[in-house]
Amino acid sequence: MQLFNSLGRRKEEFIPVRPGHARMYACGITAYDYCHIGHARSAIVFDALRRQLRSLGLEVLFIRNFTDIDDKIINRAKNENRDWREITETYIAAFHEDMGRLGVERADLEPRATEYIEQIQELCKTLIARGMAYAAGNGDVYFRVRSWPEYGRLSGRNLDELMAGARVAPGEEKEDALDFALWKGAKPGEPSWPSPWGQGRPGWHIECSAMTQPFLPLDIHGGGQDLVFPHHENEIAQTEAACQCELARYWVHNGFVRIDSEKMSKSLGNFKTIRDILRDWLPETLRFFLLTKHYRSPIDFSVDGMVDAEKGQQRIYAALADAANALERQKWKDTVIPIDLVEEWQALPAQFEAALADDLNTALALGYIFANARIVNRLLEDRKLRASRQTGVILEEFLARADVWKERLGLFGAEPRQFLVDLRSMRAQRANLDIDKVSELLERRVQARSAKDFLLSDKLRDELAAMGVEVRDTPMGQIWDMAGA
């Protein structure tokens, strides 16, 4: 497998540190609010990468942490007059619920920063002893950035550039404006722990260093692109300075999510939590949408983009449903289908695998999934080819391939007919349709057609059309959807 390594900015062959095993760590959330679509993208990307590593026959240990002590957590607790631990428990539970709906598998290990206070302090002591860190008079402990010659290697930034924008905030006692906090002296009323430097709490970056320490060197470390600097840059410096070893062999970062071509921001009013989105869209549609772009590329969330994703899903699920229906009712004949079609069909699994092996190119892999559906539709639309015994084999293989897509991408694992029903219901909900009224009219139409009262059947179709509902009569019965869907 080829994997783009942010450390070096190039694709490299993935070679595990330990043969047959892969250790991957992704930075998790700060647990003070509901997860937004950027969190969803990162979680889905690393979920897909984990699935890909497993497909290579590797035993994967996946670790995703929770930051459960931070200024944002403390501030929210104060504003809501709640205990900070209650805040973190609330939003960690919400994270699990949201990610479960998106088909994201739980990490094997989910360490929390507050479980590693002792290890964090030991790292600080080690760095101080080596002259890489120092304790300030106010109880803070800082890392000496200039003591680490390789600082900036991951982000590509140099110290002169950084110095131009550096500053010392009021209350800080840094030797150098570039230095960053490993341990923060306690402020009145804040949660704190005893330490050799007085009551305090960990800085953000050192948390991940403590939580990754038992697993070094990691094969893969990553997260969103926004973490490259300063978080991951600082993490490399303090970890490798303390352990005198490599932190991670490969660094993987997913691209940003924009909202209608703008940066997501609460001040702009375009902040999208996962829960906001799933009020109007099926969870698998959001997952599908986020996989339609290469993970390193930016992606623009919009209603149009989600509609396109929904239509794409519908094409695949409709083909799966049609294949299942054909297998249930078709009597096969020994008709030969074109050899070029057979060869194209047989090549698709290898092409799908090659796409994912090339830096997890889910966008290209989805293209090959659509190619599967196009071939199946072509076979089913041709009466002669539809009856071919070879077509029956292809239809069976098509349904089996959907199991692979579910395992590898977390997609197309639902029962096709039920998914299409759920999709129509979600569209009706977005259109504020009275779904009970629609169901009543559809049932009356079924009864009218059964009684051969086609005048009433047509009248009911017109009434549904006036509501924006389009009805089609098929060999499997009537199918409805929103007009234009």
Side-chain angles (χ1 to χ4, degrees):
M1 178 184 181
Q2 295 287 311
L3 197 58
F4 187 89
N5 193 347
S6 300
L7 191 64
R9 302 167 193 73
R10 64 178 182 273
K11 280 198 282 191
E12 300 175 7
E13 183 182 356
F14 178 71
I15 302 173
V17 175
R18 307 157 191 83
H21 297 263
R23 293 180 176 180
M24 180 168 69
Y25 181 96
C27 289
I29 64 163
T30 298
Y32 77 101
D33 204 347
Y34 291 113
C35 292
H36 55 65
I37 187 173
H39 295 131
R41 187 182 200 194
S42 186
I44 288 169
V45 164
F46 284 94
D47 184 63
L49 181 53
R50 178 194 201 180
R51 293 166 186 259
Q52 173 64 14
L53 295 173
R54 282 199 307 237
S55 77
L56 301 176
L58 297 172
E59 184 178 330
V60 182
L61 176 67
F62 180 43
I63 308 152
R64 183 194 289 112
N65 77 298
F66 290 109
T67 294
D68 61 344
I69 186 65
D70 178 86
D71 289 341
K72 293 175 180 177
I73 295 169
I74 294 168
N75 290 337
R76 182 146 200 164
K78 286 180 180 177
N79 292 338
E80 297 181 6
N81 196 27
R82 297 164 68 190
D83 186 87
W84 64 273
R85 285 163 290 226
E86 182 185 350
I87 296 292
T88 61
E89 291 299 334
T90 296
Y91 293 110
I92 288 172
F95 171 89
H96 285 138
E97 182 181 343
D98 291 346
M99 296 308 165
R101 294 180 70 189
L102 295 176
V104 174
E105 297 177 347
R106 281 208 183 190
D108 299 302
L109 297 173
E110 295 183 330
R112 302 185 185 195
T114 56
E115 299 169 344
Y116 284 76
I117 298 297
E118 183 179 346
Q119 293 91 331
I120 289 167
Q121 292 183 9
E122 288 301 317
L123 281 172
C124 291
K125 291 176 188 177
T126 298
L127 291 167
I128 289 171
R130 291 186 176 152
M132 314 293 282
Y134 58 94
N138 61 356
D140 293 344
V141 177
Y142 293 100
F143 183 85
R144 285 190 175 98
V145 167
R146 295 183 190 276
S147 71
W148 185 247
E150 297 186 25
Y151 194 84
R153 187 162 51 106
L154 177 68
S155 62
R157 305 189 186 199
N158 62 55
L159 297 186
D160 290 337
E161 290 174 333
L162 296 173
M163 195 62 195
R167 64 184 181 87
V168 178
E172 292 182 331
E173 297 186 12
K174 298 180 181 181
E175 293 177 353
D176 189 314
L178 294 178
D179 296 346
F180 59 86
L182 303 175
W183 183 263
K184 296 181 176 183
K187 295 177 183 177
E190 286 188 350
S192 64
W193 289 262
S195 80
W197 317 285
Q199 289 291 125
R201 59 185 173 89
W204 176 33
H205 314 298
I206 196 71
E207 296 170 1
C208 286
S209 292
M211 289 184 271
T212 57
Q213 196 171 28
F215 310 104
L216 301 182
L218 296 166
D219 292 284
I220 297 170
H221 194 318
Q225 207 171 69
D226 57 311
L227 297 181
V228 172
F229 186 87
H231 185 53
H232 288 160
E233 191 72 72
N234 290 354
E235 194 183 339
I236 290 173
Q238 66 201 10
T239 301
E240 296 190 357
C243 74
Q244 298 184 321
C245 65
E246 184 180 43
L247 170 52
R249 182 168 289 183
Y250 303 87
W251 286 83
V252 175
H253 295 94
N254 61 274
F256 292 110
V257 179
R258 295 173 67 83
I259 308 295
D260 293 320
S261 302
E262 289 188 310
K263 183 178 179 181
M264 184 170 59
S265 165
K266 289 183 179 179
S267 63
L268 293 174
N270 65 354
F271 190 80
K272 296 288 186 183
T273 69
I274 295 170
R275 295 182 177 212
D276 293 333
I277 295 166
L278 296 190
R279 280 196 286 268
D280 294 322
W281 308 93
L282 294 177
E284 190 181 318
T285 302
L286 179 56
R287 185 181 179 103
F288 179 89
F289 168 77
L290 291 171
L291 291 172
T292 57
K293 291 282 188 181
H294 190 279
Y295 76 89
R296 286 190 285 113
S297 300
I299 190 167
D300 188 23
F301 178 87
S302 66
V303 170
D304 288 345
M306 288 294 286
V307 167
D308 288 344
E310 195 175 69
K311 288 179 177 178
Q313 277 186 299
Q314 185 177 25
R315 288 200 298 275
I316 304 299
Y317 271 112
L320 289 167
D322 291 345
N325 292 337
L327 286 168
E328 288 172 2
R329 68 176 185 267
Q330 190 65 54
K331 294 182 180 179
W332 309 112
K333 299 177 183 178
D334 289 324
T335 306
V336 177
I337 64 178
I339 186 64
D340 61 325
L341 207 60
V342 175
E343 290 176 347
E344 183 183 353
W345 176 260
Q346 292 174 341
L348 286 173
Q351 292 169 332
F352 174 83
E353 293 294 339
L356 293 179
D358 183 10
D359 194 30
L360 199 67
N361 194 336
T362 58
L364 185 57
L366 286 172
Y368 291 125
I369 291 177
F370 282 108
N372 279 267
R374 284 195 295 271
I375 291 173
V376 165
N377 289 335
R378 178 178 168 186
L379 293 173
L380 293 178
E381 288 164 3
D382 188 313
R383 182 174 299 178
K384 182 179 178 182
L385 296 181
R386 185 170 65 227
S388 169
R389 196 175 303 279
Q390 283 180 286
T391 294
V393 172
I394 286 176
L395 297 183
E396 289 175 349
E397 290 177 354
F398 183 52
L399 297 179
R401 288 179 186 182
D403 292 335
V404 175
W405 304 333
K406 177 184 179 182
E407 173 60 28
R408 303 295 295 286
L409 296 176
L411 297 172
F412 308 117
E415 200 288 314
R417 300 176 187 90
Q418 185 59 51
F419 182 88
L420 294 171
V421 169
D422 294 343
L423 190 59
R424 292 193 292 270
S425 297
M426 181 58 78
R427 285 172 172 160
Q429 178 183 308
R430 289 203 302 269
N432 293 317
L433 268 189
D434 183 342
I435 195 69
D436 292 334
K437 179 66 173 176
V438 171
S439 299
E440 177 197 339
L441 294 174
L442 289 169
E443 180 58 31
R444 286 175 58 195
R445 189 170 181 276
V446 168
Q447 293 171 0
R449 288 180 62 80
S450 179
K452 300 190 183 303
D453 188 346
F454 297 113
L455 187 63
L456 177 58
S457 171
D458 289 345
K459 181 182 176 183
L460 292 167
R461 182 202 293 270
D462 292 342
E463 191 173 343
L464 286 160
M467 297 172 67
V469 175
E470 187 177 88
V471 182
R472 291 188 299 113
D473 296 306
T474 75
M476 302 302 295
Q478 71 178 2
I479 295 176
W480 70 274
D481 209 334
M482 301 303 297

